[in-house]
Amino acid sequence: MFQGFNLALKNALWDGQDLAYGELLHAGQRKQVKATIDAFAGHDGVLDASKMQASWFPQIDAQIFISHSHADATFALGLAGWLKTHFDLDSFIDSCAWGYADDLLALVDKKFCRNPGEGTYSYSKRNRSTSHVHMMLSTALVTMMDRCECLFFLNTPSSITPADVIGETETGTTTSPWIYSEIALSGLIRRKNVCQHRRVREEARAVADSLPLRYDVSVRHLESLDLRDLDAWRRGAAVSDAHPLDLLYRMKRSPG
């Protein structure tokens, strides 16, 4: 990852056509992820953890990682369509992955966690299976984040509850363990320069809502974005031959 952005949203800049385009673009990603779930059990009955981890996002090539709340899926899809329409930028929406975590967990539990001869599950085995699945998913998400050139975090009331005023403190709380994990890791993940990202991308082309838990979240390490910034970015890209992400970095005075 080169740069992360804290995109504060109250309403959308994109329209229904952008949303439909985003849904179309990411239907393929969701289909890829879902298609791998049934192939995770090895021939000897042992789950192949490496295969699981690698198969969450098979051959998905994206420049922007979109982190969002489950409640903001429509915003995320609309943004993805808007980015593709105006900048020809491909995005990865994190819910394409963790949306199927429960499906994988059900597969694992059915095969390995049932009590023999009963319709119940082993509590201890389910604890272990949940830990394994979530750890593998978290690792796969971090790998995808590392591959993307930048991250857009959709900062809405659904994703973060401000501790005071989010614009001033840049801190708050979230009830989503996935948002907590992604934002925390985005501040720790290695930074790669733009040339590294684009060279690798060109080479590649050539070849838990029910738990009352809260996590403290800080977005200080993310550059602030809002709808006015996005609109200015779109207008600037319309009259420039520069790479659209370079325009965004310069507009937000990010070092290149």
Side-chain angles (χ1 to χ4, degrees):
M1 190 176 81
F2 170 70
Q3 183 68 61
F5 294 97
N6 174 32
L7 177 54
L9 286 176
K10 291 185 179 179
N11 47 51
L13 180 66
W14 36 93
D15 56 24
Q17 188 173 358
D18 292 324
L19 174 59
Y21 193 18
E23 289 174 338
L24 178 64
L25 291 170
H26 287 274
Q29 289 187 3
R30 290 192 295 269
K31 184 177 180 180
Q32 283 181 301
V33 174
K34 187 171 178 58
T36 63
I37 290 178
D38 292 334
F40 283 145
H43 296 298
D44 56 359
V46 177
L47 289 174
D48 187 335
S50 297
K51 185 178 180 181
M52 281 180 166
Q53 187 173 301
S55 296
W56 275 110
F57 318 129
Q59 307 303 315
I60 293 176
D61 183 26
Q63 294 146 294
I64 298 175
F65 185 108
I66 299 178
S67 177
H68 70 95
S69 164
H70 175 75
D72 295 325
T74 299
F75 268 169
L77 289 167
L79 174 60
W82 185 84
L83 289 167
K84 186 65 175 177
T85 296
H86 294 288
F87 308 104
D88 194 28
L89 293 172
D90 297 307
S91 57
F92 172 81
I93 298 179
D94 60 2
S95 58
C96 287
W98 47 253
Y100 290 110
D102 288 343
D103 292 343
L104 175 57
L105 192 54
L107 172 70
V108 174
D109 290 344
K110 182 178 180 180
K111 187 173 182 65
F112 298 102
C113 300
R114 282 185 181 273
N115 289 317
E118 301 180 22
T120 59
Y121 295 87
S122 165
Y123 179 77
S124 60
K125 287 182 178 179
R126 279 218 78 245
N127 280 346
R128 292 185 61 195
S129 67
T130 301
S131 296
H132 280 292
V133 168
H134 286 178
M135 183 61 70
M136 286 184 289
L137 174 55
S138 179
T139 302
L141 282 168
V142 173
T143 301
M144 190 67 195
M145 192 185 300
D146 179 65
R147 286 169 51 192
C148 289
E149 186 172 322
C150 67
L151 174 143
F152 281 15
F153 168 56
L154 303 194
N155 187 338
T156 75
S158 298
S159 56
I160 286 188
T161 302
D164 294 304
V165 179
I166 193 69
E168 297 176 3
T169 65
E170 297 179 315
T171 61
T173 62
T174 182
T175 58
S176 167
W178 295 118
I179 286 178
Y180 168 73
S181 174
E182 288 175 1
I183 299 307
L185 288 168
S186 72
L188 300 173
I189 200 168
R190 62 176 176 166
R191 290 298 195 264
K192 295 184 290 186
N193 65 43
V194 170
C195 292
Q196 284 179 294
H197 275 288
R198 294 177 194 170
R199 182 176 64 250
V200 169
R201 194 167 192 267
E202 289 303 316
E203 289 172 353
R205 282 186 168 183
V207 291
D209 294 337
S210 62
L211 291 176
L213 300 176
R214 291 188 182 275
Y215 302 85
D216 290 330
V217 177
S218 172
V219 294
R220 288 191 178 95
H221 60 286
L222 304 179
E223 292 287 339
S224 296
L225 276 182
D226 57 27
L227 292 180
R228 289 176 299 178
D229 292 326
L230 293 182
D231 191 44
W233 180 29
R234 176 185 59 81
R235 287 185 280 107
V239 296
S240 174
D241 293 329
H243 192 286
L245 287 177
D246 289 336
L247 289 176
L248 180 62
Y249 301 147
R250 288 202 295 266
M251 188 177 79
K252 301 304 294 184
R253 298 184 178 86
S254 302

